[in-house]
Amino acid sequence: MSLVADDHETAQGRSGSGRDLRLTAVTKSYGTFTAVKSLDLVVPEGSFFALLGPSGCGKTTTLRMVAGLDVPTSGTIALGDREITYDKPYKRPVNTVFQNYALFPHLSIAENVAFGLKRRGVKDTKAKVAEMLELVELGEQGAKKPFQLSGGQQQRVALARALINNPEVLLLDEPLGALDLKLRRGMQIELKRIQTEVGLTFVHVTHDQEEAMTMADTVAVMNAGVIEQMGAPEALYDNPESTFVANFLGQSNLLAGDILGPDGDVVKVSIQGTTVSIPSDRSHADGTRGWVGIRPEKVMIAEVGGEIDAPGNRFEGGVVSDVSFVGVSTQYLVRMPWGQELMVFEQNTGRRPIFAVGTPVDLSWRPEYAFLLDASQDASAGVEDGDD
Ligand SMILES: Nc1ncnc2c1ncn2[C@@H]1O[C@H](COP(=O)(O)OP(=O)(O)O)[C@@H](O)[C@H]1O
Ligand SMILES: [Mg+2]
């Protein structure tokens, strides 16, 4: 919805979609290097929006322009009907929480949280501070100093300190990056709860795909200054449109295939002599060659000639080349006759023993789970190098 009559009447208030954050053709260049390339983005009011991408792809640069800490080289930024592209940071209803939460060490927790209100001349901050500390579940900690709190607690103080200003948009730049994995998972749930409770627009920047998917209503996958794909986490995961998204958001097997052409509501593709079907709405390739993508947990494995519950395509002649037991599942690598190793994640239901390395196996998947990508793209784009 944009400029319909009703909208106009409520534009001064906070109702409806009148306060969406809107980036239009935003570009940021440093000399000859362009960090953000003509970004178009609408973040609906009240949504939890994640900007996901590898280090250096332009996430922080984008946030800094929304916060007013940087000015775009070209393009505009607006909140509802109001353009804020060149407004000073303190003139925008936007607050930011950074990874290094930068609390004032000499102030108490309560004084840290009260800071924004005090600066604006609000005298009686007590009730509001208590409310914010309650919100982040630090009700009893107000008198302590930052160093007496854990990393996760300090991050919650930083959040309370930002939220007390009642911004329309809260920007979070890798806010959980400094926390260890277990704490991070806990804080993800906590952050999501707080966002739902306060109903503000959150723009959360992260390079952690699991973090983006568990928290956000909408995820925008960013790569080298552009947004590759944007949507609900399940939609992105199920139906990626590029090799980068297929690999960066989870893991994918990508098999080279010859595209034979459309057939009703599927596209037929030949992989090493076996013809498979891809639903047309999951086909994102032109031309005669493509990458057939299938997620490792969608691939079924069986002993040679054994039953596989996936009518349609069956690939024979595989040999287990690696087995990792990870408790809930077993992760196999299976070397196929054409030399490629495919990933197979199998739930440990206990129904049958785990296959050992060297075991001959057959693989299969249900056609409706596969997707088809353009052959011109690098099959290893977005594969994480594991140094995270
Ligand atoms: N002030 C600057 N001058 C020159 N290059 C910069 C500056 N700020 C960021 N960059 C470059 O822009 C790119 C994007 O940076 P950044 O937005 O910080 O990435 P991210 O937050 O996704 O890791 C990087 O290549 C970075 O080196
Ligand atoms: Mg960054």
Side-chain angles (χ1 to χ4, degrees), residues 11-234:
Q12 301 302 97
R14 283 193 166 204
S15 61
S17 58
R19 309 300 300 173
D20 294 349
L21 171 65
R22 194 176 295 267
L23 278 66
T24 308
V26 168
T27 294
K28 181 69 184 179
S29 301
Y30 297 106
T32 57
F33 176 74
T34 304
V36 174
K37 297 172 191 155
S38 194
L39 202 68
D40 288 315
L41 201 61
V42 178
V43 180
E45 179 185 15
S47 66
F48 200 126
F49 189 94
L51 201 52
L52 170 71
S55 177
C57 74
K59 306 181 297 294
T60 295
T61 305
T62 304
L63 274 201
R64 287 177 59 84
M65 291 189 285
V66 175
L69 302 169
D70 265 328
V71 174
T73 310
S74 60
T76 59
I77 301 171
L79 247 177
D81 292 341
R82 174 180 158 199
E83 196 196 319
I84 58 170
T85 318
Y86 303 104
D87 288 1
K88 292 264 182 295
Y90 59 86
K91 289 256 172 95
R92 311 176 179 216
V94 175
N95 270 88
T96 312
V97 176
F98 298 99
Q99 176 175 329
N100 50 346
Y101 9 95
L103 300 178
F104 304 114
H106 55 288
L107 298 183
S108 73
I109 298 310
E111 287 165 338
N112 264 282
V113 174
F115 188 80
L117 290 186
K118 287 259 166 68
R119 199 172 48 176
R120 279 189 280 135
V122 179
K123 292 217 174 61
D124 193 9
T125 59
K126 223 170 160 185
K128 196 75 191 155
V129 168
E131 185 194 326
M132 284 301 132
L133 287 176
E134 210 57 54
L135 177 70
V136 299
E137 294 180 333
L138 291 172
E140 310 298 309
Q141 316 285 344
K144 288 187 179 168
K145 291 280 172 62
F147 76 90
Q148 293 172 296
L149 300 187
S150 70
Q153 288 173 322
Q154 290 185 37
Q155 190 54 287
R156 299 214 295 268
V157 176
L159 193 62
R161 190 177 58 174
L163 287 172
I164 203 166
N165 299 317
N166 198 26
E168 287 181 37
V169 178
L170 187 71
L171 307 175
L172 303 116
D173 194 355
E174 314 238 10
L176 311 181
L179 308 178
D180 67 50
L181 186 65
K182 209 155 178 190
L183 201 52
R184 207 151 78 212
R185 297 289 173 240
M187 271 299 283
Q188 288 166 6
I189 295 166
E190 187 68 358
L191 257 181
K192 178 73 196 161
R193 176 190 65 77
I194 291 167
Q195 192 271 338
T196 310
E197 211 166 310
V198 297
L200 302 177
T201 310
F202 276 33
V203 181
H204 183 108
V205 157
T206 179
H207 66 272
D208 179 338
Q209 41 104 4
E210 199 172 317
E211 183 165 305
M213 286 200 282
T214 50
M215 290 197 292
D217 308 311
T218 304
V219 176
V221 182
M222 201 169 177
N223 179 29
V226 301
I227 287 181
E228 291 240 344
Q229 197 179 341
M230 195 161 87
E234 315 86 80

Side-chain angles (χ1 to χ4, degrees), residues 132-382:
M132 284 301 132
L133 287 176
E134 210 57 54
L135 177 70
V136 299
E137 294 180 333
L138 291 172
E140 310 298 309
Q141 316 285 344
K144 288 187 179 168
K145 291 280 172 62
F147 76 90
Q148 293 172 296
L149 300 187
S150 70
Q153 288 173 322
Q154 290 185 37
Q155 190 54 287
R156 299 214 295 268
V157 176
L159 193 62
R161 190 177 58 174
L163 287 172
I164 203 166
N165 299 317
N166 198 26
E168 287 181 37
V169 178
L170 187 71
L171 307 175
L172 303 116
D173 194 355
E174 314 238 10
L176 311 181
L179 308 178
D180 67 50
L181 186 65
K182 209 155 178 190
L183 201 52
R184 207 151 78 212
R185 297 289 173 240
M187 271 299 283
Q188 288 166 6
I189 295 166
E190 187 68 358
L191 257 181
K192 178 73 196 161
R193 176 190 65 77
I194 291 167
Q195 192 271 338
T196 310
E197 211 166 310
V198 297
L200 302 177
T201 310
F202 276 33
V203 181
H204 183 108
V205 157
T206 179
H207 66 272
D208 179 338
Q209 41 104 4
E210 199 172 317
E211 183 165 305
M213 286 200 282
T214 50
M215 290 197 292
D217 308 311
T218 304
V219 176
V221 182
M222 201 169 177
N223 179 29
V226 301
I227 287 181
E228 291 240 344
Q229 197 179 341
M230 195 161 87
E234 315 86 80
L236 287 186
Y237 185 82
D238 277 349
N239 193 3
E241 293 172 7
S242 68
T243 57
F244 182 86
V245 175
N247 292 323
F248 195 74
L249 210 65
Q251 289 170 283
S252 296
N253 294 298
L254 296 177
L255 298 88
D258 294 312
I259 301 174
L260 306 176
D263 180 7
D265 51 8
V266 302
V267 175
K268 297 277 189 190
V269 182
S270 168
I271 301 169
Q272 308 290 331
T274 300
T275 299
V276 301
S277 303
I278 317 285
S280 306
D281 59 353
R282 302 168 71 87
S283 172
H284 312 288
D286 300 319
T288 56
R289 301 277 297 158
W291 298 113
V292 172
I294 183 77
R295 298 289 191 181
E297 74 279 9
K298 303 291 196 309
V299 183
M300 281 164 271
I301 183 169
E303 63 273 21
V304 173
E307 231 178 278
I308 302 184
D309 171 38
N313 35 358
R314 183 182 192 109
F315 290 88
E316 298 175 345
V319 176
V320 175
S321 55
D322 189 65
V323 182
S324 310
F325 177 75
V326 281
V328 293
S329 66
T330 302
Q331 308 193 345
Y332 295 102
L333 284 180
V334 176
R335 185 172 295 280
M336 300 311 288
W338 59 91
Q340 186 178 9
E341 278 183 322
L342 299 183
M343 297 177 280
V344 182
F345 298 168
E346 188 175 58
Q347 204 75 3
N348 282 327
T349 59
R351 278 173 60 213
R352 59 129 222 272
I354 290 167
F355 293 114
V357 169
T359 310
V361 291
D362 291 348
L363 301 183
S364 183
W365 62 80
R366 288 183 164 263
E368 64 267 30
Y369 293 142
F371 47 89
L372 181 63
L373 305 174
D374 211 277
S376 64
Q377 299 171 355
D378 177 5
S380 64

